[in-house]
């Protein structure tokens, strides 16, 4: 009973160490400002909620739904892509609704690779990207990404050094956690690369709408020939503050969509139908709410960046996502991201995510999530300022204990 094969390759969850300490400190009475988990704190726009309530009151919506999503939602997805990116999507063969991106991506990987197949993912990156492959029995190769890396050059180097040749490349821009962004020319290079090496590309587009300073995030499917080699996932979690609703979709290559549809038909009956109906309203309805959400995150970003720069922690403002990827200040970098994150909880009463939790190349960084209001963010800045002002003697005393 103590042998659970799929768990053998999963390491202890790095974030749990920081979460446990955060809870201990809160139970001890400390007011910890939590900038760790990327969990939106705002409510879903009212017109979407009202549609959910209306649909939930109708008994015929309480039945099993369709595992690939109801027809009207897939049509709304196709229309949304056409309006946003001028990309044509066939709602019957090139679109499928998923129970959030994590579910859809994990099941697509499960049906795509065999044990031992190689999957390329960025490192650092959102944990489900590599662990979906590991859970499926694949062999993951990390390709360094970040402010000091050229991802495409690293990808070409990894391809030359890897045998057997990779079957899948998972990418995500704007990127969590590094906040890196790309242009359409980058995606065209990825398409050409995938065709040359016969690789399936999966693009996680969760932060499509959370972009700033005039930057517009391109869709992978805008690149010429993209549907020949890949698919793109989008989640309503961030753009519409629907994280707990667990609804997203996958579009693109019809063979990959058909494979995902087939495995989902064995594993689930699709999202609760009122959630899908409300999602139609989200995609087809007024989009002012998306702009309001974007502007709020931008304001929070500016508050955090200005505060950190003011106290001597200098960071370039990110152009995308709901995060700030911050290199640990030089005098603390020897701690590594996990111990530094614990240090911030204890001494600054601020929780952040350790970069190591996103991959080995993230250990010199921590990730701030823009999930607190201006007052709480400034409270966090004041706490961090106390840490930045600690003397070398105080720092050595802390480390000794």
């Amino acid at each position: 009973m103590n042998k659970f094969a799929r768990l053998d390759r999963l390491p202890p969850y790095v974030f749990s160490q920081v979460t446990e300490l955060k809870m201990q400190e809160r139970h001890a009475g400390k007011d910890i400002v939590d900038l760790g988990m990327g969990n939106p704190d705002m409510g879903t726009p009212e017109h979407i909620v009202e549609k959910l309530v209306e649909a939930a009151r109708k008994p015929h919506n309480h039945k099993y739904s369709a595992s690939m999503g109801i027809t009207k939602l897939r049509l709304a997805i196709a229309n949304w892509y056409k309006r946003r990116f001028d990309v044509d999507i066939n709602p019957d063969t090139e679109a499928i609704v998923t129970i959030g991106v994590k579910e859809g991506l994990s099941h697509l990987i499960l049906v795509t690779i065999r044990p031992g197949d190689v999957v390329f993912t960025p490192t650092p990156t959102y944990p489900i990207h590599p662990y979906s492959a590991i859970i499926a029995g694949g062999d993951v190769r990390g390709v360094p990404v970040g402010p000091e890396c050229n991802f495409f050059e690293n990808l070409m180097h990894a391809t030359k050094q890897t045998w057997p040749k990779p079957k899948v490349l998972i990418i995500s821009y704007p990127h969590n956690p590094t906040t890196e962004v790309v242009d359409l020319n980058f995606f065209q290079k990825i398409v050409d690369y995938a065709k040359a090496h016969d690789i399936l590309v999966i693009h996680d587009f969760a932060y499509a709408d959370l972009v700033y300073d005039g930057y517009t995030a391109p869709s992978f499917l805008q690149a010429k020939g993209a549907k020949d080699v890949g698919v793109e996932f989008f989640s309503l979690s961030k753009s519409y503050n629907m994280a707990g609703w667990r609804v997203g979709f996958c579009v693109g290559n019809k063979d990959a969509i058909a494979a995902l549809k087939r495995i989902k038909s064995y594993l689930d009956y699709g999202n609760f139908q009122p959630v899908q109906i409300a999602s139609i309203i989200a995609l087809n309805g007024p989009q002012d709410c998306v702009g309001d959400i974007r502007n709020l995150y931008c304001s929070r970003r500016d508050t955090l960046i200005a505060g950190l720069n003011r106290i001597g922690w200098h960071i370039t403002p990110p152009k995308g996502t709901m995060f700030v990827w911050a290199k640990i200040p030089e005098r603390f970098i020897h701690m590594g991201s996990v111990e530094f994150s614990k240090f911030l909880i204890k001494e600054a009463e601020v929780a952040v995510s350790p970069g190591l939790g996103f991959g080995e190349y993230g250990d010199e960084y921590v990730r701030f999530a823009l999930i607190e209001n201006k007052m709480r963010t400034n409270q966090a800045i004041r706490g961090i300022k106390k840490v930045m002002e600690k003397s070398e003697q105080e720092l050595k005393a802390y480390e000794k204990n």
Side-chain angles (χ1 to χ4, degrees):
M1 289 297 293
N2 63 349
K3 297 294 183 182
F4 299 99
R6 293 292 179 190
L7 298 182
D8 289 345
R9 296 182 64 199
L10 297 179
Y13 204 50
V14 169
F15 302 117
S16 63
Q17 300 178 44
V18 175
T19 300
E20 183 178 346
L21 178 60
K22 176 185 69 179
M23 298 310 298
Q24 287 176 3
E25 295 296 291
R26 281 182 168 171
H27 290 153
K30 290 187 177 181
D31 181 19
I32 306 297
V33 180
D34 191 355
L35 301 175
M37 185 177 179
N39 194 1
D41 63 315
M42 299 165 280
T44 303
E46 189 60 28
H47 68 285
I48 302 173
V49 176
E50 288 177 357
K51 192 63 180 181
L52 171 73
V53 173
E54 175 190 321
R57 293 189 185 280
K58 298 178 179 179
H60 67 267
N61 286 329
H62 300 173
K63 301 176 182 179
Y64 291 127
S65 187
S67 60
M68 73 177 299
I70 60 177
T71 301
K72 287 186 178 180
L73 178 52
R74 287 184 281 110
L75 183 60
I77 291 166
N79 290 337
W80 185 83
Y81 257 86
K82 186 63 177 178
R83 290 195 308 271
R84 287 289 303 273
F85 307 111
D86 196 26
V87 171
D88 293 312
I89 298 292
N90 185 320
D92 295 321
T93 61
E94 296 177 339
I96 186 169
V97 180
T98 60
I99 308 173
V101 170
K102 288 179 74 171
E103 174 272 318
L105 190 149
S106 298
H107 284 154
L108 180 57
I109 289 292
L110 185 63
V111 77
T112 300
I113 68 170
R114 295 182 174 89
D117 282 348
V118 175
V119 175
F120 278 171
T121 72
T123 180
T125 198
Y126 187 50
I128 197 58
H129 295 160
Y131 288 116
S132 62
I134 289 171
I135 291 168
D139 190 3
V140 175
R141 298 283 193 279
V143 181
V145 65
E148 299 172 359
C149 297
N150 184 315
F151 178 79
F152 194 79
E153 286 186 4
N154 292 338
L155 175 63
M156 297 304 295
H157 179 73
T159 304
K160 293 176 182 178
Q161 299 294 320
T162 299
W163 184 263
K165 294 299 182 183
K167 294 290 184 67
V168 179
L169 167 65
I170 301 175
I171 53 177
S172 179
Y173 292 98
H175 185 250
N176 174 18
T178 70
T179 73
E180 292 289 291
V181 296
V182 296
D183 58 17
L184 186 55
N185 181 60
F186 173 86
F187 283 144
Q188 192 62 60
K189 289 166 65 177
I190 292 291
V191 169
D192 296 342
Y193 159 84
K195 288 186 175 183
H197 296 276
D198 192 24
I199 294 173
L200 174 68
V201 178
I202 299 175
H203 181 231
D204 182 350
F205 203 23
Y207 298 95
D209 291 305
L210 301 190
V211 290
Y212 320 112
D213 302 335
Y215 172 73
T216 299
S219 164
F220 169 72
L221 297 183
Q222 288 178 283
K224 185 178 179 181
K227 284 198 288 186
D228 296 335
V229 297
V231 295
E232 185 163 78
F233 280 92
F234 178 78
S235 168
L236 277 68
S237 294
K238 308 305 189 299
S239 299
Y240 301 93
N241 278 336
M242 294 172 65
W245 298 53
R246 307 313 305 135
V247 58
F249 54 81
C250 181
V251 291
N253 183 270
K254 63 181 181 179
D255 293 331
I257 299 298
L260 182 54
K261 174 185 176 182
R262 185 172 179 187
I263 196 168
K264 280 175 64 65
S265 70
Y266 284 93
L267 297 171
D268 69 70
Y269 286 105
N271 306 63
F272 184 41
Q273 193 149 293
V275 170
Q276 296 191 57
I277 293 169
S279 298
I280 296 170
I281 298 302
L283 295 174
N284 285 346
Q287 300 298 297
D288 298 9
C289 58
V290 178
D292 292 341
I293 291 166
R294 179 191 304 116
N295 291 338
L296 182 57
Y297 280 124
C298 186
S299 175
R300 291 177 174 184
R301 177 203 68 163
D302 292 345
T303 298
L304 179 63
I305 293 291
L308 291 175
N309 284 340
R310 188 170 61 248
I311 64 175
W313 192 345
H314 299 291
I315 300 167
T316 301
K319 290 187 176 181
T321 77
M322 55 182 287
F323 306 109
V324 169
W325 185 239
K327 191 165 188 177
I328 299 170
E330 192 63 36
R331 65 190 295 248
F332 303 108
I333 206 165
H334 65 278
M335 289 183 171
S337 61
V338 175
E339 290 306 316
F340 181 67
S341 296
K342 292 179 180 179
F343 179 57
L344 288 182
I345 291 175
K346 289 182 178 179
E347 302 297 317
E349 299 187 5
V350 176
V352 297
S353 293
L356 184 62
F358 302 98
E360 67 275 18
Y361 282 87
D363 201 27
E364 293 186 348
Y365 293 80
V366 293
R367 191 195 71 178
F368 291 86
L370 303 172
I371 56 171
E372 289 282 9
N373 60 35
K374 184 175 182 179
M375 182 182 72
R376 294 283 285 173
T377 300
N378 282 327
Q379 179 181 331
I381 297 298
R382 290 192 295 271
I384 296 171
K385 183 174 185 286
K386 294 178 183 178
V387 165
M388 298 287 285
E389 292 175 344
K390 283 188 178 294
S391 67
E392 290 302 317
Q393 290 79 8
E394 289 174 309
L395 187 57
K396 288 178 181 178
Y398 170 85
E399 293 177 328
K400 186 176 181 180
N401 294 331

